[in-house]
Amino acid sequence: MSLLRFAVVALLVVGAPVAGQPIDRHALVKRHDVTLTRVDPHAPLMLGNGSIGFTADITGLQTFPEQYSKIAPLLTMAQWAWHSFPNPRGYTEANGLAQVPVPGGGTQPYAYMRDFEELKTNPALVWLRENPHRFSLGRIALALKGGDGKPARFAALTGMKQHLDLWTGALSSSFLFEGQPVAVTTRVHPDRDMVVVEIRSPLVAAGRLGVDVRYPGVSRSLNPDPSDYGDGAARTTTVLARTPGTLTLSNRIDGTVYYSAIAAPGASVTVAGPHGVHVAARRGDRLVVFVSFDRTRKAAPRADYAAAIAAVSRHWRDYWSKGGMIDFTGSTDPRAPELERRIVLSQYLAAINQAGDVPPQEEGLFSNSWNGKFHLEIHPWHSGHFATWGRPALLERSLGWYLQQLPQARAEAARHGLQGAWWTKMSGPEGRNSPSPINPFIMWQQPHPIYLAELLYRAHPGAATLAHYGELVDQTARLLASWPRWDAAGERFVLGPPIIPVQENHDPMTTVNPAYEVEYFRWGLQTAQAWRERRGLPREAGWDKVIEKLGPVPERGGLYLPVETEPDFWDKVSSAECRRNAIAHDCLNRDHPSFLMAFGAIGGDRIDRATMRRTLGAVEANWDLRQTWGWDYPMIAMTAARLGEPEKAIDWLFRDTRNNQWGVSGMTPRVNLDPAAKGGPDGPGYSRVAETYFPSNGGLLLVAGMMAAGWDGSSGPAPGFPKRGWTVRAEGIRPLP
């Protein structure tokens, strides 16, 4: 919607009793539908149901992948689709462990390697990092031929238009090919991992337009596109059953087996090569195709197109109607319509990429990063918003993974001589550590199960929630209480070494008391004690001792520090040398300014507001924003909002940096500094390494909900938004802790 049109709408409602009117959700969502008239090489559109994601090109299918950025592959990914390369040498987690010195003498086993150079000489580390990994299930493409019988060239397509209807979940694509119209409507079924396609064109009856389905192997190069369609890729595709208009297959890649079924009423469905299927209509100008992907064998889909349309429409209508919503109609700040667009599109992308039965990976179901493994330290920034935005069931899907992994997490804690449950940083669904110079020492994921369970309890307070997640909260807290080390000289508990904070550029072997981790461990124990009291259990005396004696949030000179062991941090980053070339002098004012999270993310009760306000100002003045990540901006906005500076919160959400750009589809890129890069979409000196980074979307929903609905201790409506220029209506959103 243009700013002019938005202003006209604002004039129409500004005199109405806005606060008492329900949000017109249909109108709000529809005004942010996505329309394309040409290929955006960085933004193919996505469809999905939370379990499966389908990335489509401008034709509505996956016909011309070469038209898109190499880091925007056209994939069909599922939360359940994991593969491992053969392991003839029988590598186990033990092959990736190293003994690391710990304070007080002795060593402990960590999935540690000194640097990535070790991967060149240690095949066990390579296998453990790469496996298991996500893979793409298949490619569904138009089988489009010219009058000469040759496959269509993309340049021959004209009059392209594509429209994503957010309210109904339908992607409509149309174009002209050799003077003939082609219209494709694509949907993903909500109850089965199935792509539903309708094609209308005179070319159907002419035998020049059908659908090809191809099943890939897995490439040794797993990121960002794990697909290998070459003849040498190790895989077997077997026809299990066929009837007129249907075909059921199994696909085996090494030890991984999955299934696919294709139904096309009134059409021919035939095997095309060793790993492909061709669908073509015998007559008429319409072709309907159902393509399912299944982890277990299922019957061919019931080819009821009207029922499928109704199911998809009902699914998305319910999603938009029953969850939280924010409407900025009536706002005069020109940024309001853009923020509303980002919020709506983030909700759409979250439903596809962040609502599965395992924690999501950074790039969701769009492409692979880090071999498709998920990173538990960022899980709340992906999915925590589901609980606060009235969709707690979507968070419970992935939180169930922690319940399944609890025995293994307890074994990991015991291996370190600790009580409770130790949660990994980077893993696949099996929960095994991935060796890394950094991963094993990151600890801010440890309180996350408590945080996420607390969000669910606030959404559904009652005995059932306490009973379901009580043991998870309890065992997580036991780790939080037993891992801090007693410092007899200081008569306090300390965190680390070894530890790497959220801001990952600190030496794990020397770092002590990162600011956020200190306060987050304490918050986790306080919340776990509240859970015990809710369950009618006594408080744990040992937990209370850690709560009381955990070292303070480090500060010096009236500013909070990233870590206690960098007391001259602010002196260094504000020096002339660092201002001239921060990278050359390793000034550490890069990556996540995570010390702000001690207040912004959790409202730490030991935080002095005046000190935090000065610290936020120091970040504004001294931080190298070229080296931040997309979720940093909502995180900083959280701190500004809690400090009573809503104007700054909005400014941070709109900070113009390369990692805070929001594309037409609502996705945000991930861009790294790269002095060798000569050009590209982000300019010289920068390298785009991913076209999307979904913690940005989840983080935006967390902070927008917080700014609209408030947080513990806030007062008044929309406490995180400025009073001037913003009219905010929110429905179905709960305050943050």
Side-chain angles (χ1 to χ4, degrees), residues 426-468:
M426 171 184 164
S427 76
E430 85 299 341
R432 173 180 51 77
N433 284 293
S434 295
S436 167
I438 296 172
N439 294 347
F441 307 123
I442 290 178
M443 295 295 288
W444 67 287
Q445 74 273 17
Q446 303 303 343
H448 283 350
I450 298 175
Y451 180 82
L452 294 172
E454 177 68 8
L455 294 183
L456 287 173
Y457 178 78
R458 290 170 179 236
H460 287 307
T465 303
L466 294 172
H468 193 63

Side-chain angles (χ1 to χ4, degrees), residues 411-427:
E412 179 69 16
R415 187 164 65 187
H416 289 270
L418 302 171
Q419 301 176 30
W422 180 303
W423 301 104
T424 60
K425 190 273 192 195
M426 171 184 164
S427 76

Side-chain angles (χ1 to χ4, degrees), residues 286-362:
R286 180 172 178 264
L287 174 63
V288 173
V289 184
F290 300 77
V291 183
S292 73
F293 301 92
D294 304 294
R295 67 177 92 188
T296 59
R297 182 175 176 178
K298 294 183 179 180
R302 187 168 66 95
D304 187 335
Y305 187 63
I309 291 175
V312 176
S313 298
R314 182 170 57 251
H315 167 77
W316 283 103
R317 182 190 64 228
D318 289 350
Y319 179 77
W320 295 115
S321 299
K322 296 179 180 178
M325 193 64 68
I326 301 176
D327 185 355
F328 296 127
T329 300
S331 299
T332 57
D333 190 307
R335 297 170 293 183
E338 171 60 14
L339 183 57
E340 189 181 272
R341 183 187 77 91
R342 295 181 184 183
I343 290 171
V344 169
L345 291 175
S346 291
Q347 290 181 83
Y348 174 77
L349 292 169
I352 296 171
N353 294 284
Q354 299 171 324
D357 56 8
V358 295
Q361 68 150 332
E362 292 176 337

Side-chain angles (χ1 to χ4, degrees), residues 695-709:
S696 306
N697 302 93
L700 177 69
L701 294 176
L702 268 182
V703 70
M706 169 189 172
M707 292 166 67

Side-chain angles (χ1 to χ4, degrees), residues 85-91 127:
F85 293 123
N87 185 14
R89 297 187 180 181
Y91 297 127
W127 194 92

